[in-house]
Amino acid sequence: MAPSSARYGAAVKDLAVAEVERRRLHNPRDRTIYREVARQFGVGEQSLRLWMKKRDAERLEAGAPAAGAEAGELMSPEQMQSELQALRRQIQKLRTENEVLKRAFVVFSSEWGGDK
């Protein structure tokens, strides 16, 4: 069997990979993306999966996030909601720590001020 790069043209490969990335961003939980895009472009589903795996690996090596993985790229509503919840928890924790530090400052400053 011929390698997938020889079987399919570079233009078809690039278009198919771009379509998978677009659909991943739109709905990352869709399990039919590879099957539908492979059918749409007339490529093998496994070839498409290998192309995507290679593209994601190249991005990781370059220090860029995989499609749909980080800020700077579009996030799904579920990803945005999850990140928002995590940020709210972090804000609450920091506010609590800040209050503890304020109280400690008051206690220590009154002790130091009384020694003069």
Side-chain angles (χ1 to χ4, degrees):
M1 186 179 327
S4 61
S5 60
R7 182 181 297 174
Y8 307 109
V12 171
K13 176 182 172 182
D14 291 341
L15 288 172
V17 166
E19 179 65 12
V20 169
E21 288 178 336
R22 185 189 69 76
R23 289 187 57 179
R24 266 193 200 168
L25 289 172
H26 184 266
N27 187 1
R29 296 182 184 195
D30 184 358
R31 296 178 181 253
T32 63
I33 292 173
Y34 289 103
R35 179 176 49 237
E36 292 172 359
V37 172
R39 190 177 314 131
Q40 177 183 350
F41 288 92
V43 299
E45 187 176 339
Q46 188 58 30
S47 294
L48 184 56
R49 288 181 188 279
L50 291 173
W51 298 337
M52 291 307 300
K53 186 175 182 179
K54 182 179 178 186
R55 173 73 56 98
D56 290 342
E58 289 169 353
R59 281 197 173 132
L60 287 175
E61 286 177 13
E70 293 292 327
E73 295 187 12
L74 296 177
M75 295 172 61
S76 73
E78 294 86 10
Q79 289 172 319
M80 289 170 39
Q81 186 65 29
S82 175
E83 184 170 347
L84 180 61
Q85 289 172 349
L87 290 171
R88 284 181 175 160
R89 283 191 301 270
Q90 185 178 11
I91 288 169
Q92 186 57 43
K93 179 182 175 198
L94 292 171
R95 284 181 177 160
T96 302
E97 291 173 353
N98 196 26
E99 285 300 316
V100 168
L101 290 171
K102 284 180 184 179
R103 290 178 186 154
F105 176 77
V106 169
V107 168
F108 288 122
S109 66
S110 65
E111 288 179 6
W112 290 326
D115 291 340
K116 289 184 179 179

